[in-house]
Amino acid sequence: MDDWEWYVQEQNKISVPPSQIKQSSAWAEKEKAINETFPGNPYFTKQNGSSALSRLMSASVNGRIEELEERLAQERDVIPGMITTGTVTLVYAPSGAGKTVWILGNLFQSIRNNLIRGSDVIYFNEDDGAKGVLQKAKMGKRHGMNMITLANSVDPNLRKTDDALRMLDQIRIEGEANGKIVICDTLKKFAPVLNKGDMRDVLHVFREFAAAGGTVILLGHCNKHRSMDGRLIYEGVGDLKSDVDNMFGLDPVNDKFAAYQELLVINEKDRSQISFEGGFKYKQTSAVVQYEESVDSVEFMSTDDISELKEKQRAQINIGKAISKYEDEYVLLSSVMKSNKMWSQSELVDLLRDEEVNPNGCTRKKLLNCIDLLKGNNLQLERRGEHGKKFYRWNPM
């Protein structure tokens, strides 16, 4: 403490050197000459009599705290408990999982429940054919929502995604972004998702739009194959996660032939105080279920339902692991056990000696590892006898 007090006292004795004062005066004269030579130069001209430093300080949010508090007070749910206004959110899912059904169903419900206004929604549909565009446009119109497809835009200056980005930026500059909700379906139509530079530029437009009170929801895709542990892998650069406020995965846990599709929400990133945990389900479109009925059937799933979903997801992950790591063993089991007969574990191991049944040379260790991964999903376990001998029946999923 004594050393620190001495240091402070010594520093207080230091005065500004005369040479520094002269240098400041010289710079002021130089700046004046530049302004006279290059009038209007934004780098050298003092705007409203302010220096560059003053202008920088005036850009501080210190003077806008009340404005920001007022905007925060106006924050509302777009999708209850998951997406709020003034944010940039990425939602990704495997192809065909129902991202569009999910987002339309939730938007329409929020409009009907007066959480948002349909006239505030700007939906860029860049992932549909002519029939799909017409179908969704009719549904959106009934809810007052604006759907735009750049390919058939009547505005010659709004035909490409670059045009759309410039227009969103102009909306922000004109002060009309506040309260608007922009959906980009899908993100890869707006920028190459594997190019960091382009992705950064596009996200900058979206972030500025959200900073002005707008909301941006980006729909993305997953890689065709899951990770080695069966997880979804987002199709795009890793930096994207740091550039958005929220990032959610929709993991389908039912096959396309089930009456309902169930989607477990994977929370990759959530800046909310309470992280979202949940899932959704909807009726799958079929010969008897029309697309509009699928959209109207989207609903949030209860906590009990989520527990079941997580169990299904774990089963899917284990099946994915079994297929990727023990493909030959998986094929062997699925082929010999399809008769619905109960097999003891020892009987399954004995099959390995039969070259006709086991042409790929599956080993005992790999077969048992595969059985452990499939236990409780593809393989239904039953214990028999005094010593609990293991018997299995194949369960198609």
Side-chain angles (χ1 to χ4, degrees), residues 168-225:
L168 289 177
D169 209 31
Q170 191 62 33
I171 290 171
R172 174 189 63 82
I173 292 169
E174 293 170 357
E176 295 184 342
N178 190 31
K180 298 297 179 286
I181 301 166
V182 175
I183 316 296
C184 294
D185 189 1
T186 62
L187 176 59
K188 69 179 180 180
K189 298 296 176 68
F190 280 79
V193 293
L194 296 175
N195 186 304
K196 286 189 177 185
D198 290 344
M199 211 55 250
R200 182 174 57 247
D201 294 341
V202 170
L203 261 295
H204 181 70
V205 173
F206 293 145
R207 290 216 57 80
E208 286 196 316
F209 190 86
T215 306
V216 181
I217 302 175
L218 311 170
L219 302 183
H221 287 98
C222 295
N223 290 345
K224 183 178 179 181
H225 300 290

Side-chain angles (χ1 to χ4, degrees), residues 13 32 49 52 64 77 80 96 110 115 117 130 188 230 248 293 328 335 356 389 397:
K13 294 177 184 178
K32 181 180 177 182
R64 299 173 51 226
D77 281 338
S110 293
L115 295 177
R117 293 184 301 183
K188 69 179 180 180
F248 301 104
E293 186 179 350
D328 291 338
S335 60
E356 186 176 342
K389 188 175 182 178
M397 295 187 71

Side-chain angles (χ1 to χ4, degrees), residues 88-92 187 216 218-220 234 240 244 246-249:
V88 180
T89 300
L90 171 65
V91 180
Y92 66 92
L187 176 59
V216 181
L218 311 170
L219 302 183
Y234 169 69
L240 183 58
V244 297
N246 310 307
M247 186 171 176
F248 301 104

Side-chain angles (χ1 to χ4, degrees), residues 17-241:
S19 59
Q20 187 171 331
I21 297 174
K22 291 179 182 178
Q23 186 179 15
S24 299
S25 301
W27 171 250
E29 292 298 322
K30 184 177 180 181
E31 182 183 18
K32 181 180 177 182
I34 291 172
N35 289 338
E36 290 173 353
T37 309
F38 304 102
N41 189 319
Y43 295 100
F44 296 105
T45 303
K46 289 186 178 181
Q47 297 181 0
N48 300 321
S50 300
S51 67
L53 179 59
S54 298
R55 286 161 51 199
L56 181 64
M57 294 305 181
S58 66
S60 166
V61 296
N62 293 9
R64 299 173 51 226
I65 289 177
E66 290 184 2
E67 174 196 339
L68 296 175
E69 285 179 337
E70 182 180 352
R71 181 173 293 167
L72 190 61
Q74 295 174 355
E75 184 181 277
R76 60 192 186 279
D77 281 338
V78 176
I79 297 177
M82 187 174 182
I83 300 175
T84 58
T85 54
T87 58
V88 180
T89 300
L90 171 65
V91 180
Y92 66 92
S95 180
K99 294 183 298 295
T100 304
V101 171
W102 173 83
I103 188 62
L104 287 177
N106 279 293
L107 286 175
F108 293 163
Q109 287 181 34
S110 293
I111 292 169
R112 291 194 294 267
N113 293 329
N114 296 317
L115 295 177
I116 60 175
R117 293 184 301 183
S119 57
D120 285 336
V121 179
I122 304 168
Y123 195 111
F124 287 100
N125 185 348
E126 301 302 309
D127 199 38
D128 239 334
K131 183 178 179 181
V133 168
L134 178 61
Q135 183 183 45
K136 294 176 181 65
K138 286 181 177 179
M139 295 168 62
K141 186 178 180 180
R142 286 197 290 273
H143 291 83
M145 192 176 83
N146 300 287
M147 183 169 287
I148 298 165
T149 302
L150 298 173
N152 10 352
S153 170
V154 295
D155 187 341
N157 295 317
L158 188 59
R159 294 281 176 79
K160 299 178 181 178
T161 52
D162 287 345
D163 300 333
L165 292 169
R166 280 192 295 269
M167 195 161 287
L168 289 177
D169 209 31
Q170 191 62 33
I171 290 171
R172 174 189 63 82
I173 292 169
E174 293 170 357
E176 295 184 342
N178 190 31
K180 298 297 179 286
I181 301 166
V182 175
I183 316 296
C184 294
D185 189 1
T186 62
L187 176 59
K188 69 179 180 180
K189 298 296 176 68
F190 280 79
V193 293
L194 296 175
N195 186 304
K196 286 189 177 185
D198 290 344
M199 211 55 250
R200 182 174 57 247
D201 294 341
V202 170
L203 261 295
H204 181 70
V205 173
F206 293 145
R207 290 216 57 80
E208 286 196 316
F209 190 86
T215 306
V216 181
I217 302 175
L218 311 170
L219 302 183
H221 287 98
C222 295
N223 290 345
K224 183 178 179 181
H225 300 290
R226 294 175 178 249
S227 65
M228 285 298 290
D229 62 354
R231 308 283 177 180
L232 298 179
I233 303 174
Y234 169 69
E235 181 185 56
V237 295
D239 291 354
L240 183 58
K241 184 174 181 178

Side-chain angles (χ1 to χ4, degrees), residues 266-283:
I266 310 302
N267 195 329
E268 293 279 355
K269 179 183 181 182
D270 187 354
R271 287 183 176 169
S272 303
Q273 291 183 348
I274 301 175
S275 295
F276 180 87
E277 183 177 359
F280 296 85
K281 69 177 182 179
Y282 65 87
K283 292 180 182 178

